[in-house]
């Protein structure tokens, strides 16, 4: 599965949200698995969108054919757009499905990892972080994705912002020490996204 993560700063909120509904046109596209997103809880003008495709070939075909028509209605409503593609490497918890209806927030972490530490980082994700996250109350599902150049994406869906906050306060520092995350990670950016049901396709 291919994961597309879009992050942008919105300058016309109403126009952007109106345009976001037009992405319902993705339904029926060959290989499309689902899309959702919402607003950053830390920076209210930042939007995050997550899209899922069966494979790179299906995604490339969509980009060549239908993308520009669907995107046209949002032109001029945002700036500073960043688009990144990741290959799904494994699930956090089990049986990841690109569904958003039962989640209140999504947590996204984007990690640039030292090249010689990439395998260790992935192993720690599997052996230390995954079990801790999977066992946390309110954590619904998640995935670990990889892009060329030792870049990784950890995306997790939570039933509520409060439950995610509790996990963060109680466990993240201790887990980070155990996984020796500081030695692996060159740069880490993240956000908590308040999911908007109207954006779900």
């Amino acid at each position: 599965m291919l994961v597309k993560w879009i992050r942008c700063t919105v300058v016309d909120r109403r126009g952007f949200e109106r345009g976001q509904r037009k992405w319902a046109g993705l339904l029926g596209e060959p290989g499309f698995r689902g899309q959702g997103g919402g607003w950053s809880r830390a920076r209210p003008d930042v939007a995050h969108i997550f899209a899922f495709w069966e494979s790179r070939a299906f995604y490339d075909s969509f980009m060549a054919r239908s993308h520009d028509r669907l995107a046209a209605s949002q032109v001029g409503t945002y700036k500073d757009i960043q688009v990144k593609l990741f290959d799904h490497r494994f699930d956090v918890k089990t049986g990841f499905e690109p569904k958003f209806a039962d989640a209140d927030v999504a947590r996204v972490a984007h990690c640039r990892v030292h090249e010689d530490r990439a395998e260790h980082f992935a192993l720690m994700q599997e052996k230390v972080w995954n079990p801790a996250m999977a066992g946390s109350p309110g954590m619904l599902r998640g995935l670990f994705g990889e892009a060329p150049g030792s870049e990784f994406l950890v995306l997790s869906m939570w039933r509520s912002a409060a439950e995610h906050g509790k996990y963060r306060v109680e466990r993240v520092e201790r887990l980070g020490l155990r996984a020796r995350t500081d030695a692996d990670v060159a740069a880490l950016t993240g956000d908590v996204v308040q999911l908007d049901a109207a954006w779900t396709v």
Side-chain angles (χ1 to χ4, degrees), residues 23 47 66 70-71 73 81 96-97 107 111 143 160 163 195-197:
W23 290 98
S66 315
L70 290 174
S73 59
I81 189 165
F96 180 84
E97 286 292 323
R107 160 71 181 162
C111 310
L143 65 81
S160 74
E163 284 168 315
L195 296 170
D196 186 328

Side-chain angles (χ1 to χ4, degrees), residues 121-200:
F121 178 77
L123 184 70
M124 289 300 102
Q125 188 64 44
E126 219 168 345
K127 300 278 187 266
V128 176
W129 291 100
N130 272 16
M133 230 189 283
S136 292
M139 192 278 186
L140 300 169
R141 69 187 77 82
L143 65 81
F144 182 73
E146 183 173 7
S150 304
E151 277 191 59
F152 297 92
L153 177 81
V154 185
L155 177 65
S156 55
M157 313 270 202
W158 296 78
R159 197 176 294 117
S160 74
E163 284 168 315
H164 172 260
K166 198 164 182 295
Y167 161 78
R168 205 174 58 201
V169 168
E170 288 177 0
R171 313 188 70 172
V172 167
E173 199 175 328
R174 186 165 47 81
L175 291 167
L177 290 170
R178 209 172 115 205
R180 299 184 49 225
T181 306
D182 287 352
D184 294 346
V185 175
L188 169 68
T189 54
D191 211 345
V192 177
V193 183
Q194 186 71 48
L195 296 170
D196 186 328
W199 299 14
T200 301

Side-chain angles (χ1 to χ4, degrees), residues 36-56:
W39 298 101
S40 162
R41 287 176 63 93
R43 295 189 46 205
D45 59 339
V46 170
H48 295 268
I49 294 125
F50 307 98
F52 302 87
W53 294 83
E54 261 167 53
S55 70
R56 182 68 192 246

Side-chain angles (χ1 to χ4, degrees), residues 10-101:
V10 173
V11 292
D12 169 8
R13 191 170 174 126
R14 279 181 64 188
F16 184 86
E17 289 189 317
R18 206 164 41 242
Q20 199 56 40
R21 292 188 179 89
K22 296 272 195 324
W23 290 98
L26 283 165
L27 290 171
E29 281 288 338
F32 173 71
R33 297 278 307 275
Q35 179 169 291
W39 298 101
S40 162
R41 287 176 63 93
R43 295 189 46 205
D45 59 339
V46 170
H48 295 268
I49 294 125
F50 307 98
F52 302 87
W53 294 83
E54 261 167 53
S55 70
R56 182 68 192 246
F58 280 124
Y59 170 74
D60 286 344
S61 167
F62 160 72
M63 289 301 288
R65 287 178 301 101
S66 315
H67 174 270
D68 292 359
R69 178 175 48 80
L70 290 174
S73 59
Q74 280 177 312
V75 169
T77 64
Y78 60 84
K79 59 178 186 175
D80 305 332
I81 189 165
Q82 294 170 328
V83 179
K84 293 201 173 286
L85 299 173
F86 297 86
D87 286 311
H88 171 273
R89 186 154 160 183
F90 51 76
D91 291 347
V92 178
K93 222 164 178 171
T94 53
F96 180 84
E97 286 292 323
K99 297 188 308 209
F100 294 85

